[in-house]
Structure formats: C-alpha cells, structure tokens
Amino acid sequence: MSKFGELVGLNVPVLIDFYTEWNEASVKMHPVLRDVASAIGDKAKVIKIDVDKNTQLAEALRVKGLPTLMIYKKGEMLWRKSGEQNAESIIAILEQYS
C-alpha cells in the first residue's frame, strides 16, 4: 500500500490497470495499454496491477469489475472506468491531465 502511494503521487498522470490473467476483457486490454504507453511516452506512466496478487489494494479501492482503469496525479484520483477501453480514448484522457 505504501508503494502504491508513491506511484500515484507523481507529478505526471499515472494510468493504473487493475486486471487478472483469467479475465478475458483484462487480457484484451494488454495490447491496448502497450499502445497507450508507447504513444504517451514520458508524459504519463502506465502501471498494471494484478488483482489476484494485490487483493487488499483492490478491496480498498473497491475494484469490482475488470479491467478497472484509474488515472491519478499528485495522489488524487482524476478518472476511473471499468471495462474495455480503446487506446485513442485513454490517450486523449491522459493528455487532458498532463
């Protein structure tokens, strides 16, 4: 949990993907997030968090649906959405907060 605080406390937007390897929609998001990370470069960070390995964090943030995407900046959650998203939408949202 303390490491999570460090991650989301950055001065750039941090996109967090809560996923599992057994959830089909989560797996479909892997290439989308790779595209987002390469397009956005160092203007933002993309971090994947496996819900099965981080159950306490997922419960604390009330992650129910998968995948759940969140954008934080300077410790504040700015955006949250569950379900599959496309790269263009995510990039546009990240650029809005950078």
Side-chain angles (χ1 to χ4, degrees), residues 48-86:
K48 299 170 69 52
I49 297 179
D50 187 332
V51 173
D52 289 336
K53 294 177 182 166
N54 296 279
T55 52
Q56 282 185 309
L57 178 60
E59 286 172 16
L61 293 172
R62 297 187 176 135
V63 174
K64 303 283 186 231
L66 293 174
T68 292
L69 303 172
M70 298 178 192
I71 296 175
Y72 280 84
K73 186 175 182 180
K74 297 180 185 172
E76 182 183 352
M77 185 191 303
L78 303 172
W79 180 85
R80 177 180 177 143
K81 191 123 180 162
S82 293
E84 292 179 57
Q85 308 295 317
N86 64 52

Side-chain angles (χ1 to χ4, degrees), residues 15-30 33 46-55 57-58 63-70 81 83:
L15 172 66
I16 301 174
D17 169 34
F18 287 91
Y19 76 98
T20 63
E21 288 300 334
W22 51 263
N23 178 272
E24 189 177 329
S26 290
V27 174
K28 285 182 181 176
M29 286 299 296
H30 293 338
L33 293 171
V46 178
I47 298 167
K48 299 170 69 52
I49 297 179
D50 187 332
V51 173
D52 289 336
K53 294 177 182 166
N54 296 279
T55 52
L57 178 60
V63 174
K64 303 283 186 231
L66 293 174
T68 292
L69 303 172
M70 298 178 192
K81 191 123 180 162

